[in-house]
Amino acid sequence: MIEKLKAKGFKPTLSNKDVLKGEFNGYDVYVEPVTNGNKVYRIFVEDANPVSESDIKIRFNKLCRQFEKNDKYTSFGDYIIPEDEDISTQMDIYKKRFQASFYQKPEMIDTVLIYNLMDEKMGNLYTPEQLENPTEEVKQKINEVAEQIVFDIMRVKTVWFMISKEGYNKYSIVMFYDNEYNHADGEDL
């Protein structure tokens, strides 16, 4: 992964050869791949140059809009920060965390997998007769289970970012590109 990033113009930092610096989405950033057993499960991205409160609000909202417009991602919330929001007060006094999560849509949803999971989950809840002639309640449960299965498939590849305070009135964006397929799952215990 580091070699791929270097090929895109990222350069190692003097303090850590695994942390690279370069341009990403129009901003200077630090990038660090995080691995588990030589498999990357997270790409950590942080702004190299902290900015003011008003600038970070613009940057955060711009990122939200970019992800919302990108057909590769979906989200389940509206994360836009209102213009009159006092980020400093909210973070310092109320410990609010300004964060947004987006889920990478699978290139192709494995319909066989979904059907198998649906059969398994619904078979544990209802008889074949109830599933052949579902009531409104059963139909609602089928929809809930299907939505949960699709969400579980999508949540495996998540992008989330947040505002990080870097001192007095200085803020940066910290991003995480996560791939749960490669995350530790207790296999080394």
Side-chain angles (χ1 to χ4, degrees):
M1 178 55 73
I2 288 177
E3 293 307 315
K4 288 179 183 179
L5 290 167
K6 286 179 181 177
K8 292 185 176 197
F10 287 86
K11 306 273 188 239
T13 59
L14 296 176
S15 60
N16 186 337
K17 67 178 176 49
D18 293 336
V19 176
L20 306 173
K21 186 175 181 183
E23 186 177 320
F24 176 74
N25 198 30
Y27 293 87
D28 289 333
V29 297
Y30 295 108
V31 177
E32 180 179 8
V34 184
T35 61
N36 174 45
N38 290 325
K39 292 182 181 178
V40 176
Y41 74 86
R42 171 175 280 170
I43 303 286
F44 171 77
V45 182
E46 181 177 24
D47 289 346
N49 304 309
V51 296
S52 70
E53 181 175 345
S54 60
D55 288 341
I56 203 65
K57 193 182 309 180
I58 292 167
R59 173 136 162 66
F60 184 91
N61 287 344
K62 180 180 176 183
L63 263 176
C64 288
R65 288 185 184 100
Q66 287 174 328
F67 276 103
E68 287 168 357
K69 289 190 322 187
N70 190 321
D71 290 337
K72 293 190 304 186
Y73 297 96
T74 190
S75 74
F76 301 102
D78 179 13
Y79 305 107
I80 298 296
I81 300 171
E83 200 172 301
D84 61 347
E85 184 85 67
D86 184 338
I87 293 173
S88 177
T89 299
Q90 292 297 320
M91 290 179 77
D92 293 344
I93 296 174
Y94 301 110
K95 307 301 180 204
K96 183 172 181 176
R97 191 167 166 171
F98 292 93
Q99 170 179 316
S101 299
F102 293 85
Y103 303 91
Q104 187 175 338
K105 295 177 185 175
E107 290 180 21
M108 183 179 89
I109 294 182
D110 187 345
T111 53
V112 173
L113 173 64
I114 292 173
Y115 285 127
N116 288 340
L117 290 170
M118 285 292 295
D119 283 347
E120 179 184 324
K121 290 185 185 254
M122 298 313 294
N124 291 334
L125 297 173
Y126 301 105
T127 66
E129 295 79 24
Q130 289 174 305
L131 293 172
E132 285 179 30
N133 299 305
T135 63
E136 287 303 314
E137 179 183 315
V138 172
K139 287 179 187 177
Q140 182 178 345
K141 186 64 175 179
I142 290 170
N143 286 336
E144 289 172 9
V145 169
E147 287 174 4
Q148 185 62 49
I149 289 170
V150 171
F151 176 73
D152 288 345
I153 291 170
M154 287 188 337
R155 76 174 180 80
V156 173
K157 291 192 175 180
T158 307
V159 179
W160 61 282
F161 53 92
M162 65 183 193
I163 295 175
S164 175
K165 191 161 186 181
E166 307 292 327
Y168 180 72
N169 200 30
K170 291 293 180 188
Y171 303 86
S172 64
I173 296 290
V174 178
M175 297 182 76
F176 304 88
Y177 285 80
D178 289 340
N179 180 348
E180 293 298 323
Y181 287 120
N182 296 339
H183 201 158
D185 197 21
E187 62 273 359
D188 294 335
L189 300 177

